[in-house]
Amino acid sequence: MPQVILIDDDLEHHSFAESLMKTYDFFDDFKCYNDSKAAIIDLVDAHYGEHRLPDIILLEVNMPDLHGWDFLEMFENLKTLLAKDIPVFILSSSIDPEDKIKSEHFSVVKGFYQKPLTAAVVESVVSETRRANFLKRL
């Protein structure tokens, strides 16, 4: 079963998202980061066997310090070192249409959704992830 990580500086959204994620049997592990730097460090550590690599990343692009866009640039460079493809789904408070367009320039981004996380978004992420995994097996 997949491990999902949420990178978002909104701690209330962490609690809400975690309770929603627990209702789905598709996910066996859900971890939240309020800082994208910590997430990058854990991804690098996972590459070296310190942690399990996630299967899905949910990312807020509007964050202080290391912005979500910066995270995506770093992750795009890191992905060549990782043992598997990890799709990123933007889950953002942004209503700027340019952000959705900008997200399409990152090969790891597989979807752009508005916050808050909803059952419909979870179902869409699950569906897209299953479809991508099925296509990889062909």
Side-chain angles (χ1 to χ4, degrees):
M1 292 230 249
Q3 177 189 46
V4 179
I5 66 171
L6 170 66
I7 306 168
D8 189 335
D9 63 323
D10 181 351
L11 299 180
E12 288 181 22
H13 192 248
H14 285 203
S15 298
F16 176 76
E18 190 166 10
S19 66
L20 181 63
M21 289 295 201
K22 286 181 180 178
T23 64
Y24 287 84
D25 289 337
F26 183 78
F27 307 107
D28 66 350
D29 191 13
F30 183 71
K31 185 172 184 178
C32 296
Y33 293 88
N34 61 356
D35 168 345
S36 54
K37 282 187 231 174
I40 283 288
I41 290 167
D42 276 2
L43 288 166
V44 170
D45 287 348
H47 168 68
Y48 291 106
E50 300 289 322
H51 307 289
R52 179 177 158 204
L53 283 168
D55 299 291
I56 299 169
I57 297 173
L58 302 174
L59 175 69
E60 166 64 88
V61 291
N62 294 323
M63 292 192 301
D65 298 326
L66 186 64
H67 210 267
W69 301 116
D70 298 326
F71 171 88
L72 283 170
E73 287 177 18
M74 293 170 73
F75 186 69
E76 287 263 321
N77 292 325
L78 179 64
K79 77 176 186 168
T80 58
L81 300 174
L82 301 177
K84 65 181 178 180
D85 292 328
I86 304 170
V88 176
F89 295 88
I90 305 295
L91 182 61
S92 183
S93 58
S94 173
I95 57 171
D96 185 349
E98 291 298 316
D99 282 343
K100 184 172 187 327
I101 293 167
K102 185 176 182 177
S103 75
E104 294 168 358
H105 296 291
F106 294 92
S107 65
V108 295
V109 174
K110 304 304 179 197
F112 191 103
Y113 301 96
Q114 297 292 311
K115 282 170 63 175
L117 186 63
T118 63
V121 170
V122 172
E123 289 170 11
S124 180
V125 167
V126 168
S127 176
E128 176 61 30
T129 302
R130 285 183 175 158
R131 186 181 73 74
N133 288 339
F134 174 77
L135 292 175
K136 278 192 256 181
R137 288 187 294 238
L138 293 179

